[in-house]
Amino acid sequence: MKNILIDCDPGHDDALAIIVALANPQKLNLLGITTIGGNQTITKVTENAKKLLGFLKAKVPLAAGQSNPLKRSLKTAPEAHGDTGMDGPFFDGTTYPLSDLSGVDFLYEKIMASEETVTIVALGPLTNIALLLTNHPEVKGKIDKISLMGGGIDHGNYTELAEFNIYVDPEAAEIVFQSGLPIVMAGLDVTEKAEITVAEIKALQGKGRVSQLVYELLSFYNESGRQFGFIDSPIHDLCAVAYLLAPEIFKGTYANIHVITDESLARGLTYGDFRKSASKFKPTLVLQEVDRQKFVELLLEALRYLDAV
């Protein structure tokens, strides 16, 4: 059993990560969820989180985090996730409570109150996490690891060199990667291999209440992905949760990761020194390979569980 906190910007793939986490209560003790401005504004992504958690009849506390990056204006991704940040499904107006605490204070209180160490699952820009580590360095001793979706050693997606989450707040990302904490980096190197096929998406239709929701989410997401050259759909954020449930289906290499923070064409680029002569300080496991079939089966098992509840 791992105690986890999810920091996210829902987001279609964020939604699937949350769904799979909630479907594995015997392995993941979800202490709470915070939102961060990213795929859309903080207002929109928080509303998406409320709708999703309400639909799932969850009882997980939710708090809204930072609306903007540490030093920059927010860049959103309506071209990928739609005007709401999670276009596609229709929600029936279910309400969900929101904590009065700020996201950073919420994370701090949950971590410090936990008797066991906590794993942070970071699925959006890393602003909340950077502020947590900067303002409350004492939490480091109670964090087991950070499993994040972001970056890419081989290429970017928002630009040729930078992945979206890191590009939005590169200063925050550099703070997190250089925090000294153990990090699992699910970047584009692995997430673009963690695809669900069109046929697998279609097979979800009508299978159950939650499967139908995922079908609607992925149908929009798949269609949106065509403009970026994808036929099947990489479920990026799910990788950060899937690793915690089934690390054996992934392969990777340890490195010391840095982030370019200037305003050059390389802004947001994540890079590591993989030379054999490099420093022994290699706190980040950079995931590079995934067993796609087992990855998709992990999602399908979660949907079967939730459809039966």
Side-chain angles (χ1 to χ4, degrees):
M1 173 72 76
K2 297 180 178 68
N3 292 322
I4 69 168
L5 286 161
I6 293 179
D7 185 66
C8 57
D9 57 342
H12 298 75
D13 47 342
D14 304 73
L16 268 64
I18 291 169
I19 285 169
V20 171
L22 288 172
N24 286 275
Q26 73 283 5
K27 295 182 179 179
L28 301 178
N29 179 27
L30 182 51
L31 301 176
I33 295 173
T34 52
T35 56
I36 180 68
N39 286 324
Q40 262 296 354
T41 64
I42 190 64
T43 299
K44 290 182 178 181
V45 299
T46 302
E47 185 63 23
N48 290 340
K50 291 168 68 175
K51 288 177 178 178
L52 177 66
L53 293 171
F55 176 89
L56 296 171
K57 299 181 172 62
K59 296 181 181 179
V60 177
L62 173 68
Q66 296 297 116
S67 58
N68 292 296
L70 295 179
K71 296 183 178 181
R72 304 163 186 264
S73 58
L74 177 65
K75 303 282 188 181
T76 60
E79 66 279 4
H81 296 277
D83 288 337
T84 68
M86 204 166 73
D87 280 8
F90 171 76
F91 291 95
D92 60 6
T94 303
T95 60
Y96 198 84
L98 188 66
S99 172
D100 291 333
L101 292 173
S102 71
V104 175
D105 288 344
F106 178 90
L107 291 169
Y108 174 75
E109 291 201 1
K110 289 295 181 183
I111 292 170
M112 298 307 292
S114 176
E115 294 184 1
E116 305 294 334
T117 57
V118 176
T119 293
I120 294 175
V121 180
L123 307 178
L126 292 167
T127 316
N128 287 338
I129 313 306
L131 286 171
L132 171 70
L133 299 178
T134 301
N135 296 343
H136 306 287
E138 64 273 21
V139 301
K140 290 184 180 182
K142 301 201 68 173
I143 295 174
D144 179 61
K145 66 173 68 71
I146 298 173
S147 183
L148 64 87
M149 189 277 132
I153 301 301
D154 182 66
H155 63 283
N157 61 0
Y158 194 71
T159 70
E160 296 94 328
L161 299 174
E163 181 274 331
F164 176 79
N165 285 343
I166 306 301
Y167 182 90
V168 169
D169 197 343
E171 286 84 6
E174 175 70 359
I175 289 170
V176 172
F177 278 114
Q178 290 300 304
S179 66
L181 288 168
I183 294 173
V184 178
M185 172 179 157
L188 300 175
D189 314 282
V190 70
T191 66
E192 289 185 350
K193 299 170 184 174
E195 292 183 314
I196 186 168
T197 67
V198 173
E200 288 165 341
I201 293 170
K202 290 181 178 178
L204 297 173
Q205 188 173 18
K207 283 291 181 66
R209 183 171 177 269
V210 182
S211 290
Q212 180 64 28
L213 172 68
V214 172
Y215 166 75
E216 294 171 7
L217 285 166
L218 287 175
S219 293
F220 176 90
Y221 195 51
N222 180 262
E223 185 64 30
S224 173
R226 301 301 175 96
Q227 67 187 301
F228 306 115
F230 293 101
I231 301 302
D232 299 319
S233 293
I235 313 179
H236 304 280
D237 288 340
L238 179 54
C239 290
V241 169
Y243 177 83
L244 300 180
L245 293 168
E248 69 278 3
I249 72 173
F250 294 90
K251 294 180 181 179
T253 304
Y254 285 91
N256 178 19
I257 299 297
H258 280 282
V259 182
I260 299 293
T261 60
D262 62 30
E263 287 300 333
S264 70
L265 292 174
R267 168 186 164 177
L269 180 148
T270 48
Y271 69 95
D273 189 346
F274 292 92
R275 295 175 298 175
K276 292 185 183 298
S277 62
S279 166
K280 293 182 179 179
F281 177 68
K282 297 181 178 181
T284 297
L285 174 59
V286 180
L287 300 182
Q288 295 164 312
E289 300 291 338
V290 61
D291 186 320
R292 191 203 74 83
Q293 289 185 324
K294 291 181 179 178
F295 175 81
V296 173
E297 182 56 32
L298 186 146
L299 170 61
L300 298 180
E301 286 179 4
L303 298 182
R304 287 192 288 268
Y305 172 86
L306 291 175
D307 283 337
V309 173

